[in-house]
Amino acid sequence: MIYPTRMAVLAAAIGAPVALLLAMLFPRSWYVGLGWSFAVLMLVAMDTLLGRAQASMALTLPRSTPVGVPLTVPIAVTVTGRRARAVQVMIAPDPLLTVADDAPLFVALKDGRGAAGLTLTPIRRGTARLGDIWLRWTGPLGLVWRQARIDTEQALPILPDVEAIREQGAQLFQRHAVQGLLAQSDRGDGTDFDALVEFRSGMDRRAIDWKQSARHRKLYAKEYRTECNSQIVFAIDTGRQMSDPVGGIPRVDRAVSAALLTGWLALKLGDRVALNAFDSRPRIASGFIGGAGAFPELQHLAAAIDYGGDETNYTFALTTLAARLTRRSMIVLFTEFTDPTSADFLVRAVARLLKTHLVLIVVLRDDELETIVDRAPDVAADVTRAVTAAALLRDRRLALLRLRHLGVHVIESPHDQVAARLVEGYVDLKRRSLL
């Protein structure tokens, strides 16, 4: 495709008033004023002929990329024929990707070749497909754009972000293992019987086994250790409200990253982990896996969690989950609610789970509502927004308070700290032998 540049359009526009002025001053020689436009047209035609060239491009994509992490894609451009000095590159992004600055990428050419990096940011999980890419360059005179379209048809899988797990997981595991969470070093606490030992000064008198003490005529006490095969279920709400972005990333992806980090630590500490996803009905229901080597399977299951547009049905989802559990488990529920009706359904569904299981609910702090409430109003509409936001926050705090009164452990965290806060909550519950 060939079309004039801004310089050519301005040059042609400047000739119009000159031609009009000449026609007014010399009516019989009005056609002389057309010489300017004819000269511009000739220059444009000359630039078109001199700028003939063929362009090609190579785009190198990685095998996969984590969501929310900017990715720099190397681009190599080659222009044959009449060599250009620079090429502009524009890409038609997939809805799962955003392009930095939304501006053309300038690639400087030397001997017809050039390279640059295109910055893409994955905003949702899935498979992004890069479609058409446009290249354009000017002729030697800068009066004509030559544009070429290249079909790439390349796919880029976008997976959950596990970089935080690789960076923070080892540190967290080392920190908590040193504090005595490993079974072989956590004796004296917990609920799992370990050994019968002779009673020593400082031991809990309630641990004395009076029958064995009478048989051996010495005081013997039971020594316990923390149970290591606890069952942890990560239940992730994928409904409409969890698909809304917070900090540029959907809440579902924040929940998946936090669940993977905590799941990695739980597998290292000997617990068994399962994954559950639901919205209006259950979507994913995995079995329990154990062992540090099972983490890739957990990551694969998390990558299959999709975004939903339905309202969340807590009663159906949590009742189905409870029916599949055959022993006491810790249920980590990631969810979001904004109205009292959905919060009431959540409270009632969780109340049934508490009869048998330990429930930990994780919600992200709504920074947008808090900003509206704290911001000074400028117009009358800001007052209405502030009052509405304050009412929503009040209903939210009331629902969380009801959950805490039932005995639910609740974590309300900023979006950038949810993974660390969840790990701390899990370790605290494990240390207190509540699992």
Side-chain angles (χ1 to χ4, degrees):
M1 179 184 296
I2 301 174
Y3 55 93
T5 64
R6 182 179 302 178
M7 181 184 301
V9 174
L10 291 177
I14 292 175
V18 175
L20 180 60
L21 181 61
L22 290 177
M24 293 175 60
L25 296 179
F26 308 99
R28 294 185 179 183
S29 303
W30 60 270
Y31 52 86
V32 178
L34 300 178
W36 180 278
S37 300
F38 181 75
V40 172
L41 182 60
M42 292 299 294
L43 291 175
V44 168
M46 183 183 301
D47 199 20
T48 302
L49 295 175
L50 295 177
R52 286 183 300 178
Q54 297 293 329
S56 60
M57 188 207 65
L59 183 68
T60 305
L61 293 178
R63 297 181 58 184
S64 62
T65 184
V67 62
V69 179
L71 170 69
T72 301
V73 178
I75 294 179
V77 179
T78 303
V79 178
T80 59
R82 298 285 184 177
R83 295 174 180 173
R85 290 172 294 181
V87 173
Q88 294 184 6
V89 180
M90 280 291 291
I91 185 173
D94 189 271
L96 303 181
L97 299 170
T98 59
V99 182
D101 301 330
D102 291 331
L105 176 66
F106 286 86
V107 180
L109 300 180
K110 183 178 181 181
D111 297 332
R113 299 179 181 272
L118 180 64
T119 302
L120 304 174
T121 303
I123 57 176
R124 292 202 170 194
R125 286 174 293 105
T127 301
R129 301 191 180 277
L130 301 182
D132 297 334
I133 296 180
W134 286 270
L135 305 178
R136 71 173 187 175
W137 62 96
T138 60
L141 303 180
L143 299 176
V144 173
W145 284 112
R146 301 187 68 94
Q147 182 170 296
R149 186 182 70 176
I150 300 176
D151 297 330
T152 58
E153 294 298 332
Q154 296 191 45
L156 177 62
I158 303 175
L159 304 179
D161 184 10
V162 295
E163 291 299 325
I165 300 173
R166 296 173 181 173
E167 296 176 359
Q168 305 174 16
Q171 299 177 1
L172 291 172
F173 177 72
Q174 182 180 7
R175 180 194 312 166
H176 298 302
V178 170
Q179 293 178 357
L181 279 179
L182 290 180
Q184 58 266 29
S185 60
D186 190 10
R187 295 178 177 176
D189 295 320
T191 58
D192 194 8
F193 176 75
D194 182 59
L196 189 67
V197 298
E198 186 174 351
F199 182 81
R200 299 183 298 274
S201 177
M203 296 181 65
D204 189 357
R205 295 180 180 178
R206 293 174 296 181
I208 297 177
D209 189 333
W210 295 105
K211 290 184 179 180
Q212 296 296 331
S213 299
R215 180 177 300 175
H216 295 85
R217 298 182 181 181
K218 287 184 180 181
L219 285 179
Y220 280 87
K222 294 180 179 180
E223 193 172 66
Y224 298 90
R225 64 182 179 185
T226 301
E227 188 177 0
C228 292
N229 61 342
S230 302
Q231 295 187 161
I232 316 296
V233 182
F234 294 102
I236 301 178
D237 176 9
T238 62
R240 178 177 56 84
Q241 295 178 1
M242 284 292 288
S243 298
D244 293 337
V246 53
I249 304 297
R251 297 175 186 269
V252 173
D253 292 324
R254 303 284 187 185
V256 168
S257 298
L260 286 177
L261 177 59
T262 309
W264 183 88
L265 185 62
L267 292 174
K268 283 286 188 179
L269 295 179
D271 291 333
R272 303 168 63 211
V273 175
L275 195 62
N276 188 279
F278 63 92
D279 47 18
S280 59
R281 61 184 180 87
R283 301 292 180 180
I284 294 178
S286 73
F288 286 95
I289 58 177
F295 179 74
E297 182 179 354
L298 181 65
Q299 182 182 355
H300 177 73
L301 291 171
I305 297 178
D306 201 357
Y307 306 92
D310 300 338
E311 292 292 336
T312 303
N313 190 336
Y314 293 108
T315 304
F316 184 24
L318 297 183
T319 301
T320 305
L321 173 60
R324 297 181 62 253
L325 300 177
T326 58
R327 52 171 286 195
R328 174 178 168 83
S329 305
M330 174 182 175
I331 301 175
V332 182
L333 175 60
F334 299 87
T335 187
E336 178 62 31
F337 50 87
T338 56
D339 59 278
T341 303
S342 60
D344 186 63
F345 281 114
L346 172 63
V347 172
R348 294 185 181 184
V350 169
R352 301 187 189 97
L353 291 177
L354 287 173
K355 297 178 181 179
T356 308
H357 307 285
L358 176 68
V359 181
L360 172 63
I361 293 182
V362 182
V363 293
L364 300 181
R365 184 177 300 170
D366 200 326
D367 297 332
E368 183 178 359
L369 290 180
E370 294 180 358
T371 301
I372 294 175
V373 172
D374 297 337
R375 185 173 52 200
D378 297 327
V379 295
D382 293 341
V383 178
T384 304
R385 296 189 188 95
V387 172
T388 305
L392 292 175
L393 287 177
R394 183 174 61 253
D395 293 338
R396 178 191 181 91
R397 295 190 182 104
L398 179 60
L400 295 179
L401 183 61
R402 291 176 59 189
L403 290 170
R404 289 189 174 97
H405 283 174
L406 287 175
V408 178
H409 300 271
V410 179
I411 295 178
E412 186 179 14
S413 169
H415 63 83
D416 55 346
Q417 302 176 14
V418 60
R421 293 283 299 276
L422 177 58
V423 169
E424 292 175 1
Y426 160 73
V427 171
D428 180 65
L429 294 175
K430 191 173 182 66
R431 182 181 293 112
R432 292 159 57 187
S433 301
L434 297 179
L435 274 65

